[in-house]
Amino acid sequence: MKKKEKALEIHARLERRYPEPEPALDWTDAWQLLVATVLAAQCTDERVNKVTPHLFERWPDIPSVARADVAELEEAVRSTGFFRNKAKNLKAAATRIVEEYDGKVPRTMADLITLPGVARKTANIVLSNAFDIHEGVAVDTHVKRLSYRLGLTTHTDPVRIEKDLMQLYPNKMWGEINHFLVYFGREVCNARKPKCPICELSDICPKKGVEQGAT
């Protein structure tokens, strides 16, 4: 099976498993998704979903975050880890959006990555899910691990992995494949003990980097 053929087969099988994929983060608009994604760095989605309701109630929009006292923001996001840097970036990002983008989250990769705390992964997630704009593939730890294990890439650098995935999948699938690999990475193909015997991709997976005896 050629690599592109295998990539599409992986998508088809995971689409059957996850017919309506969505981010695990709770959000209602592009700004909330951006905030939640920034907070999710080195933190679980579950923890972020416990923090954001109070955060969005206290600061309900972009201008209010731009005006917020950074010490209060730090306290609000403390439990997500790296809270000082996250609070500083959220306030700075909100300020830039107000000053440079008329208070609206920008809708291009080039503009989004100018926001403090926003790199390609976060920008891809916001563009794909909030705007249905697909400029790339969000590569987090799960996508990175599974892409390599499944033989979709030989690289470990997220930028190179993203380029490989973009060549294997049509534009309309870029957002979906991120969701599929994230969920599958959490449920089946985890880092330390992938559940190979019950994996629906086992017959087409080269299991690169997987130790023998995986259960």
Side-chain angles (χ1 to χ4, degrees):
M1 185 181 292
K2 294 181 179 179
K3 184 180 288 188
K4 191 159 190 175
E5 182 182 358
K6 182 172 74 171
L8 295 175
E9 177 63 19
I10 289 169
H11 182 281
R13 294 187 190 186
L14 294 183
E15 186 175 36
R16 289 193 290 271
R17 183 182 179 96
Y18 307 110
E20 296 181 1
E22 294 181 351
L25 297 166
D26 296 334
W27 59 284
T28 58
D29 58 32
W31 170 247
Q32 289 193 359
L33 180 57
L34 187 153
V35 170
T37 306
V38 168
L39 294 179
Q42 304 298 312
C43 181
T44 65
D45 292 344
E46 291 78 10
R47 167 53 55 187
V48 173
N49 288 338
K50 290 179 180 178
V51 168
T52 50
H54 166 70
L55 185 70
F56 297 143
E57 181 179 2
R58 175 69 178 79
W59 297 281
D61 53 28
I62 297 171
S64 63
V65 176
R67 296 190 302 267
D69 179 82
V70 72
E72 292 184 19
L73 279 176
E74 288 177 0
E75 192 58 34
V77 304
R78 178 182 291 271
S79 65
T80 68
F82 302 95
F83 62 94
R84 289 190 178 88
N85 198 47
K86 290 178 180 179
K88 179 187 70 174
N89 283 336
L90 289 178
K91 180 177 172 65
T95 300
R96 180 167 175 78
I97 290 173
V98 169
E99 294 178 350
E100 301 293 334
Y101 299 105
D102 196 27
K104 298 177 182 178
V105 176
R107 299 167 66 102
T108 69
M109 174 67 69
D111 288 334
L112 277 169
I113 61 175
T114 69
L115 303 178
V118 177
R120 285 193 63 90
K121 184 190 79 170
T122 296
N124 274 319
I125 289 172
V126 172
L127 288 171
S128 175
N129 294 282
F131 300 127
D132 196 27
I133 295 171
H134 308 288
E135 289 199 34
V137 179
V139 178
D140 72 349
T141 182
H142 299 291
V143 175
K144 177 180 176 180
R145 181 176 71 255
L146 269 66
S147 296
Y148 182 79
R149 281 184 178 173
L150 290 164
L152 300 179
T153 184
T154 60
H155 300 109
T156 57
D157 173 63
V159 174
R160 299 292 296 275
I161 293 171
E162 181 182 6
K163 290 180 179 179
D164 287 343
L165 293 176
M166 289 169 68
Q167 291 177 350
L168 291 172
Y169 292 102
N171 174 280
K172 64 181 181 179
M173 292 183 179
W174 290 352
E176 292 176 343
I177 197 62
N178 165 264
H179 291 315
F180 293 158
L181 295 179
V182 167
Y183 280 116
F184 201 66
R186 289 173 176 167
E187 296 176 4
V188 179
C189 192
N190 55 53
R192 296 186 178 180
K193 285 192 174 183
K195 301 173 184 177
C196 297
I198 64 168
C199 174
E200 51 257 69
L201 304 178
S202 183
D203 60 309
I204 57 174
C205 177
K207 302 179 178 61
K208 294 176 66 176
V210 177
E211 296 181 4
Q212 290 188 350
T215 59

